[in-house]
Amino acid sequence: MSTSSTGAAAAPVTGNAVAIKNFAFSPATLQVKAGTTVTWTNQDTDAHTVTSAASGGPLHSAALATHAAYSYTFTKPGTYAYICTIHPFMTATVEVTR
Amino acid sequence: MRHAGWFGGAVVLTVASGEVISHIADSRDTNAGAAAGAAAAVSGALRFVQVSDSHIGFQGPANMDVAGSFNEAINQVNSLGFRPDFVMHSGDLTHLSTAGQFDQVKQMMTGMKTDRVFTVPGEHDSIGDAGRAYRRTFGMGTLGDGWYSFDTHGVHFIALVNTLSLEKLGHLGNAQIDFVRKDLAGLPSDTPVVVFSHIPLFAMYPKWGWSTDDALKVIALLRRFSSVTCLNGHVHQLFTKTEGNITFHSATTTAYPLPKPGRAPAPTPQVVPARQLKDALGIRSVGYRQGDRELAIKDQRLA
């Protein structure tokens, strides 16, 4: 079912920005160094959230209306999976390295 | 004489004078249009209304006035020609779960001429707080995370919450499934059962989250009943599916249309011309007469 999104997630991208567009996080896999502040910007007409997939995870945005943004500074290395709680089929990951 | 012909029932969809009408085919009743009306004409019959996905607070080109559309839906409920026993709103009352949006939709719904208003939460009503703001406004007297059941006119109703702790699909959780198990235990198998949930309990289109990952555990508990009707919202379009004695009916929306499964890259609010918007919005009335096997379901476009 989700071959296209799995395919998109295959290639990690470096940077510090994630676009929320067409009900997807882009890039689906973002690689950053510890200490980087990542900013998500909603470019859709519907609202989205940036929320850690596991309970207790650090990502917990409010509902982002169109053009709204959310930022988080990753201090610890690790793999951070997150979803949009309104559209939980939207999944993505931030990989934080030293 | 048990329910002999019952298992061969088929859903018939017809369009009559601009109304999309669905009901279960029945040898005694071949006129789809008469189904809801016939039940309504008999005193003592149960008549209720389902409205869904009002998204109060949504702002976008797909509907520049969702509050206005919801008001029209309320007026339509009040112009049915009968006073429904209750109105069920099957979720996404609000768009962003704010206190102001919950207050607004609750106040608007007091304008509906009915004895009781019930709700189940949508994922838009549970943003960021696992449904706490929703339950403060609408959860009085409910159990667990907001689920409950009640009986009226010989029908057993169960209202489920499948929009919390989402992981790709809707989710019920073991506590709620235990509630359903205990709730159904001891209920005679010929009791008609109606189940409300926001997200479909069947796999309508899992790629867009239009399914509930642990629904089969509840479906298994419902299989022994001779008539089960599952009514959901979430997908903003009419859709019916029958599995043995269980029939699933997705309701339309009062806010804005969504694409048919797979017909667009994502379930994005659809911008359509104003006339077509009204065709996509509507309400559903349901009639049931004690002793009947099936509920009569009638979907009406926003006039």
Side-chain angles (χ1 to χ4, degrees), chain B residues 255-277:
Chain B
Y256 52 80
L258 289 175
K260 289 194 180 348
R263 295 279 183 85
T268 312
Q270 297 292 286
V271 180
V272 297
R275 280 168 198 275
Q276 287 176 35
L277 177 61

Side-chain angles (χ1 to χ4, degrees), chain A:
Chain A
M1 289 295 278
S2 56
T3 44
S4 59
S5 59
T6 313
V13 175
T14 55
N16 62 0
V18 178
I20 310 175
K21 199 173 177 182
N22 293 324
F23 287 58
F25 296 104
S26 180
T29 303
L30 180 71
Q31 280 183 339
V32 301
K33 296 234 180 269
T36 304
T37 299
V38 176
T39 299
W40 288 261
T41 307
N42 182 15
Q43 299 176 15
D44 273 343
T45 57
D46 205 348
H48 297 294
T49 75
V50 175
T51 309
S52 288
S55 62
L59 301 174
H60 189 81
S61 81
L64 304 174
T66 308
H67 304 312
Y70 168 71
S71 295
Y72 180 78
T73 303
F74 290 92
T75 53
K76 289 183 184 167
T79 299
Y80 296 84
Y82 63 95
I83 63 171
C84 163
T85 58
I86 309 172
H87 311 97
F89 58 91
M90 295 169 56
T91 60
T93 306
V94 178
E95 293 173 2
V96 182
T97 55
R98 288 189 192 283

